Amino acid sequence: ISAQWSLTTENFQLSDVASAVTTAVVAPDAPVLMLPLVLPPGSLQGGVEYTFRLSGSYDDSSSSPVGYSEITLAVNTPPTVGVVTIDNGLGGREGISLETLFKLSANNFVDDVEDYPLRYSFSYAVGSLALDEWGRLSESNKLFGVVTDSLSNVKEKVLLPSGSGENSTVTIVVDVGDKYGAKSFAQNTAIVTAPTHTLAELSSISNSLTTSALAEGDVSLVFQVLSSTAALLNSVNCSPAPDCSS
């Protein structure tokens, strides 16, 4: 008995994409034939219907009758890509680490009514982001979470570490997913500079912010304070030194 998976809608050739074999032959007296169809992530296009057919026949003649069963799948589409905005309280994207509280907002992400509710995850990376060949976020990016799977499209009171490069860039990312897990993302950049404090002043500010965040039960803000403080302590100010390598 031979069995074969095929795609009746002719969107692509299954055997060219599948992660496992799409055909099999077994003896008539063999145990039940198992022929799972395995497709790698990203094989199917959102918003398209695919009809898969599993057919079987006796393998002794080309004229053998063929039996088959079909299933049609409609592939979910991710939310329409919107924008993420960054507000320092004065309508700008500039701020100072451990001093400026930013407000992050995800706007204009839209999906089919049956795919709601949408969930929002905000994160940031020091510097710019790398994208892969499909325009998705590369796994090489080092992202730090701010809030995950929130039903609110706004996150207030966010402290960011000092940025990198000439522009002191910090990249904000929002991932927006529907109830089926389909996601889209948007990014924007903030300009965050380091404060001009002594080590003692920095320690006092960090302790005060941590105590306040703990009193409010804001674990995310505690992490932001610690992360920003660590980034400042690990940075090297070479301006007073004649040779930074010495």
Side-chain angles (χ1 to χ4, degrees), residues 3-7 14 21-23 35-37 52-55:
Q4 178 179 7
W5 279 106
S6 60
L7 190 62
L14 266 185
V21 295
T22 57
T23 60
L35 185 60
L37 177 62
F52 298 93
R53 174 182 291 184
L54 177 60
S55 55

Side-chain angles (χ1 to χ4, degrees), residues 17 21 30 32 60 81 107 119 144 175 181 188 202 210-211 226 230 233 246:
V17 177
V21 295
V32 176
D60 56 354
V81 177
N107 301 307
R119 294 184 178 271
F144 299 90
D175 278 299
N188 200 350
L202 180 62
T210 301
T211 300
L226 296 178
L233 293 175
S246 61

Side-chain angles (χ1 to χ4, degrees), residues 1-243:
I1 299 176
S2 64
Q4 178 179 7
W5 279 106
S6 60
L7 190 62
T8 65
T9 43
E10 299 182 354
N11 303 81
F12 54 83
Q13 186 67 33
L14 266 185
S15 58
D16 294 338
V17 177
S19 301
V21 295
T22 57
T23 60
V25 178
V26 297
D29 57 348
V32 176
L33 171 64
M34 299 291 290
L35 185 60
L37 177 62
V38 182
L39 299 176
S43 301
L44 306 181
Q45 181 180 347
V48 177
E49 285 193 350
Y50 297 84
T51 300
F52 298 93
R53 174 182 291 184
L54 177 60
S55 55
S57 64
Y58 289 107
D59 200 43
D60 56 354
S61 172
S62 59
S63 60
S64 296
V66 177
Y68 65 87
S69 181
E70 294 181 343
I71 183 172
T72 299
L73 303 177
V75 181
N76 182 35
T77 55
T80 301
V81 177
V83 297
V84 56
T85 60
I86 307 165
D87 187 356
N88 60 8
L90 300 173
R93 294 183 290 115
E94 304 80 16
I96 300 174
S97 181
L98 288 180
E99 295 184 12
T100 305
L101 287 171
F102 292 92
K103 175 182 177 181
L104 311 179
S105 304
N107 301 307
N108 302 328
F109 285 85
V110 181
D111 209 340
D112 298 326
V113 174
E114 59 269 21
D115 294 350
Y116 281 80
L118 301 182
R119 294 184 178 271
Y120 303 83
S121 298
F122 291 95
S123 58
Y124 68 84
V126 177
S128 56
L129 291 177
L131 302 179
D132 63 20
E133 58 184 308
W134 296 284
R136 300 176 301 198
L137 291 175
S138 170
E139 294 183 358
S140 64
N141 294 308
K142 189 173 183 180
L143 291 170
F144 299 90
V146 175
V147 63
T148 303
D149 289 339
S150 172
L151 290 172
S152 173
N153 67 321
V154 176
K155 177 60 178 174
E156 301 192 66
K157 299 178 64 175
V158 176
L159 285 171
L160 296 173
S162 53
S164 69
E166 295 181 0
N167 295 327
S168 300
T169 300
V170 175
T171 303
I172 305 298
V173 178
V174 62
D175 278 299
V176 182
D178 62 22
K179 71 177 184 180
Y180 299 109
K183 294 183 177 181
S184 56
F185 79 94
Q187 60 176 304
N188 200 350
T189 56
I191 300 171
V192 187
T193 55
T196 54
H197 294 305
T198 65
L199 186 59
E201 291 171 336
L202 180 62
S203 176
S204 177
I205 292 171
S206 179
N207 287 336
S208 176
L209 289 171
T210 301
T211 300
S212 176
L214 287 172
E216 296 177 8
D218 193 336
V219 178
S220 176
L221 186 57
V222 172
F223 170 80
Q224 295 161 32
V225 173
L226 296 178
S227 178
S228 297
T229 303
L232 291 170
L233 293 175
N234 290 330
S235 64
V236 179
N237 181 8
C238 294
S239 57
D243 185 358

